[in-house]
Amino acid sequence: MTEVRRVQSGSPWEETIGFARAVAAGDRVLVAGTTSFKGRVLYGEGDPYEQTRVAFGNALEALKEFGLGAESVIRTRMYLTHVRDVDEASRAHKELFDSVRPAATLLVVEGFVDPRILVEVEVEAFRGAEQS
């Protein structure tokens, strides 16, 4: 039977909604939708580049709980509230993952639970991933 392990980050929404920041099941580690909030403080308000950078940083912090880093990431998803922010979010993604080249999806959505959020990201990682 595959062991499933869950990690919490302390986000207030984890408790309200009832979810884990990250879940490892077998060789896969999935990181839930992550924003640039750290506790109750939003970093990069009004700045899509900074929000993307911090959100992925928060997601990568969750991966560290499983002994993984950016090199283990096989898929990313970026959700933006404005198409005008695509270039800035993409720039942050490239800086973090250019050498890894995960499968990536970028979507423009209606909005998030806090209207100051411009970007939300998801990450999937694979344990034991070999680079090629």
Side-chain angles (χ1 to χ4, degrees), residues 13 15 21 29 55 62 67 71 73 76 84 102 108 114 124 130:
W13 290 302
E15 206 48 48
R21 170 63 49 216
V29 180
E71 71 285 347
V73 174
T76 60
R84 69 172 184 242
V108 177
D114 183 314
E124 293 184 34
E130 293 181 21

Side-chain angles (χ1 to χ4, degrees), residues 71-128:
E71 71 285 347
S72 299
V73 174
I74 59 171
R75 171 183 276 286
T76 60
R77 292 182 185 92
M78 294 171 280
Y79 303 92
L80 312 177
T81 55
H82 300 285
V83 72
R84 69 172 184 242
D85 297 336
V86 167
D87 290 343
E88 290 300 294
S90 297
R91 180 168 66 99
H93 185 277
K94 182 176 174 75
E95 288 175 7
L96 292 164
F97 298 107
D98 193 33
S99 65
V100 179
R101 299 287 172 124
T105 300
L106 190 148
L107 300 165
V108 177
V109 299
E110 179 78 19
F112 300 109
V113 297
D114 183 314
R116 298 173 298 160
I117 299 170
L118 303 174
V119 179
E120 186 167 324
V121 303
E122 295 178 15
V123 171
E124 293 184 34
F126 184 76
R127 299 192 231 211

Side-chain angles (χ1 to χ4, degrees), residues 1-5 24-26 127:
M1 180 173 266
T2 301
E3 176 187 348
V4 176
R5 184 172 156 229
R127 299 192 231 211

